[in-house]
Amino acid sequence: MAGIFNFLASPSRFRRLSERLYPYTIFLMVLFLILGLWYGIYSSPPDYQQGETVRIMYVHVPAAWMAMMIYFSMTLMSIFSLVWRHPLADLLAKESAPIGAMFTLIALVTGSIWGKPTWGTWWVWDARLTSVLILFFIYLGHVALIKLFDDEEKGSKAAAILTIIGAINLPIIKFSVDWWNTLHQPASVMRLDGPSIHIDMMIPLIFMAFAFLFYYLSFLFINTQAELYKRRVKKIYLQNLMRKEK
Amino acid sequence: MSNQLTYVFFAYFFTFFVLIILAVKSYSTYLANLKKFKKFDINVKK
């Protein structure tokens, strides 16, 4: 395990690796997206109570899963950054945050669109919706904190601390539907006694979840490469400047 | 039925609109930085 972390500690090695990997992750994303949309929009049946609006689930639920999974990975990266000072951990957390914020926004907006025909309202201040909204603000806080500091290292450190403190929100989001009486339905897939959802609805849900996972990986690789190129150019520029001054 | 499909359409439209916007922004930044890097790399090698 330590060998993998040491291997990925070199930015140029990570850049070369991600350069090779991202075409494959994009291919897998497109493949799962086609399968997910085919099953989600065409092949899966409408719900006996909700009718066609149940199809919103195939974008809403995977987006909510991704919002939480990305935040969890950012928490691990923040710990790696603060404890072991891993050179790429800050960068990966920084590049994950906008993608995580986007998935949280998708979960909030599609949930709101689904809520109107199902609950009769666009929004309620119940525990699940409010805790996901807080997650969205924490993501925005992470992005803003890094930009707020002139010294990017200080900004990343502050953002890492915010991320670790904000991780307390993850179990609140997950168990809010069990701890409080909410309008949001309880978990129907990730349950100790197994999923309660029908297999015809489970298939598109899993395909879309993989499509979103590969979307995250693809654009994490692309954004990280872009940032590493930017840093390399800055380094070469400063080296040239110092050489000229000498 | 058509009312239900309108909600479904807007949920999917919003999702893919946001996904595509972020993808285009990310990839254009990547290409711009790669172009700068190649230009700098060539200058340094000269």
Side-chain angles (χ1 to χ4, degrees), chain A residues 52-53 56 116-117, chain B residues 1-10:
Chain A
E52 298 292 339
T53 55
I56 297 173
K116 183 64 183 164
Chain B
M1 168 78 173
S2 63
N3 195 27
Q4 286 184 348
L5 286 175
T6 310
Y7 287 111
V8 176
F9 170 78
F10 279 109

Side-chain angles (χ1 to χ4, degrees), chain A residues 153-183:
Chain A
E153 206 173 308
K154 278 183 186 170
S156 296
K157 203 172 176 182
I161 293 167
L162 172 79
T163 307
I164 293 168
I165 295 168
I168 193 79
N169 195 32
L170 290 183
I172 295 174
I173 295 173
K174 170 73 184 144
F175 298 110
S176 56
V177 284
D178 304 319
W179 292 342
W180 292 285
N181 188 20
T182 62
L183 198 55

Side-chain angles (χ1 to χ4, degrees), chain A residues 52 55 102 215 223 226 236, chain B residues 4 12 18-19 26 33 37 44:
Chain A
E52 298 292 339
R55 296 185 199 286
M102 181 203 66
Y215 179 96
N223 290 351
I236 294 169
Chain B
Q4 286 184 348
Y12 278 75
V18 175
L19 287 175
S26 295
N33 288 2
F37 172 74
V44 169

